[in-house]
Amino acid sequence: MERIAIFASGTGSNAKKIIEYFKAHPNIEVRLVVANKPDAPVLAMAKQQGVKTLLLDRPGFYQSEGALEALAEAQITFIVLAGFLWLVPPYLVNAYPNRIVNIHPALLPKFGGKGMYGMHVHRAVKETGETNTGITIHLVNEAYDEGDTLFQVRCPVTAADTPEQIAAKVRQLEHVHFAPVIEKYINALNS
Ligand code: GRF
């Protein structure tokens, strides 16, 4: 049995898709939603879906191995970052080797790294005049957006697209692909 913790800090639309996708799954369960802001809408969504939540505080997350205990208590075996903006500390990367994945709303290595999140990414894509963008699902290591890529898919960007329209196209790709890619990766890990 694989038990997933989803780390998210925002609206949690990806988290919701993932929770729904694995609801009736025989061997993968979303057990916990972890957030770093008490007012993050993702927390309310998780409660509504009947998934336990955990709120992180920065000192606890970075200065002690605070999160590990809660993850162990929930018997978490796999971590999904879905809009989680804090850098994952080394103790967590080491505790879950090859078992942390992130989604990035662009085609890494383009438009990645510190500060490249949310609309910053889509505005940069627009300003650079890219003719396509997409999503990257990748393993997490100790640097932002630098782990091995598991999956990429692209969508066209036209000259008329606004950053908001680019964001909507990318979000659509995330919602379609993230959960199945997680499932496929976990199955491969276990085979
Ligand atoms: C997504 O675009 C994802 O790529 C990211 O943050 C966003 C989260 O959106 N890194 P949501 O909270 O799942 O709606």
Side-chain angles (χ1 to χ4, degrees):
M1 191 71 196
E2 295 280 347
R3 289 169 296 270
I4 297 177
I6 303 176
F7 284 48
S9 333
T11 47
S13 68
N14 280 285
K16 184 163 190 260
K17 290 279 174 199
I18 296 165
I19 290 169
E20 287 168 352
Y21 186 87
F22 289 115
K23 265 229 160 110
H25 200 278
N27 59 301
I28 301 175
E29 177 197 350
V30 177
R31 179 62 80 87
L32 191 66
V33 165
V34 180
N36 60 5
K37 285 189 274 181
D39 55 350
V42 67
L43 288 172
M45 182 281 295
K47 282 176 192 142
Q48 209 167 36
Q49 296 279 336
V51 177
K52 277 195 187 143
T53 59
L54 172 71
L55 182 62
L56 297 174
D57 68 282
R58 195 174 256 277
F61 192 48
Y62 286 105
Q63 285 156 28
S64 69
E65 300 195 350
L68 272 190
E69 217 169 287
L71 295 174
E73 200 177 305
Q75 297 178 295
I76 298 304
T77 60
F78 197 87
I79 295 174
V80 172
L81 309 182
F84 185 69
L85 298 180
W86 289 357
L87 187 64
V88 175
Y91 74 80
L92 205 50
V93 175
N94 294 333
Y96 288 89
N98 294 323
R99 286 182 163 271
I100 309 180
V101 298
N102 180 44
I103 191 160
H104 187 78
L107 298 168
L108 290 175
K110 283 183 177 176
F111 308 106
K114 199 165 165 50
M116 272 295 172
Y117 62 90
M119 288 307 295
H120 297 288
V121 175
H122 308 303
R123 279 189 215 110
V125 165
K126 171 81 188 166
E127 275 158 27
T128 324
E130 297 290 308
T131 54
N132 53 59
T133 187
I135 63 170
T136 304
I137 298 170
H138 64 93
L139 293 178
V140 171
N141 61 20
E142 290 163 34
Y144 278 107
D145 300 334
E146 285 179 14
D148 289 348
T149 293
L150 300 177
F151 177 85
Q152 285 189 314
V153 64
R154 56 186 68 225
C155 59
V157 175
T158 69
D161 280 340
T162 63
E164 289 71 22
Q165 286 167 324
I166 298 171
K169 288 183 188 178
V170 168
R171 185 63 49 93
Q172 165 78 11
L173 290 179
E174 294 185 332
H175 289 173
V176 170
H177 295 285
F178 201 7
V181 169
I182 293 166
E183 180 184 30
K184 206 169 155 202
Y185 177 67
I186 287 179
N187 286 340
L189 269 183
N190 292 333
S191 66

